[in-house]
Amino acid sequence: MDSSTEILFTIGQIISSFSTLIVLVASIILFTKQRTLATWLILIGNILICITYIGSLILNIFAGRESIDTLLLTQGMSSIAQSISYLIFAIGLIVLALSEFSKKQNQSPSKG
């Protein structure tokens, strides 16, 4: 890899990290404003996303020192863990959207 390719990957990691941090802050704010099952799932999912993101970076460093098979196994397991974290976050987001939508529909005046 030449230096321009490494710069592209570094920029991508920085943007991804910054985006993850912003979503974590938004999740914390949402949780402090409204404590429901949905916001719990969103917060827990997002915390797990952050943990698995950092964990996969660290594990890849150590696995890269071993063999390519170890690195591939580590990346596969990290991918599964991150996907489960995103699934928890997404379920919380769906529950929040459905509950907020049903509240809005129940509050709207009926036309008749």
Side-chain angles (χ1 to χ4, degrees):
M1 242 189 310
D2 62 13
S3 63
S4 63
T5 308
E6 290 176 14
I7 290 171
L8 289 175
F9 280 104
T10 302
I11 290 171
Q13 288 290 343
I14 291 169
I15 292 170
S16 179
S17 299
F18 189 63
S19 301
T20 302
L21 183 63
I22 289 172
V23 175
L24 178 61
V25 170
S27 297
I28 292 169
I29 291 170
L30 183 62
F31 179 75
T32 58
K33 298 288 183 185
Q34 181 180 0
R35 291 188 182 185
T36 62
L37 173 64
T39 57
W40 272 103
L41 289 172
I42 289 170
L43 182 64
I44 290 169
N46 204 288
I47 289 170
L48 289 174
I49 289 169
C50 292
I51 290 170
T52 56
Y53 179 75
I54 293 168
S56 69
L57 291 175
I58 294 169
L59 283 175
N60 285 337
I61 291 170
F62 291 114
R65 294 179 183 167
E66 299 295 320
S67 66
I68 190 71
D69 291 333
T70 306
L71 180 61
L72 291 175
L73 180 64
T74 303
Q75 287 179 340
M77 290 171 37
S78 295
S79 176
I80 291 170
Q82 286 178 336
S83 296
I84 291 170
S85 302
Y86 278 110
L87 179 64
I88 293 169
F89 178 82
I91 289 170
L93 195 57
I94 286 173
V95 170
L96 180 67
L98 290 174
S99 66
E100 289 300 312
F101 180 70
S102 66
K103 283 182 190 176
K104 299 276 192 233
Q105 228 174 12
N106 290 339
Q107 291 175 355
S108 66
S110 62
K111 295 180 181 179

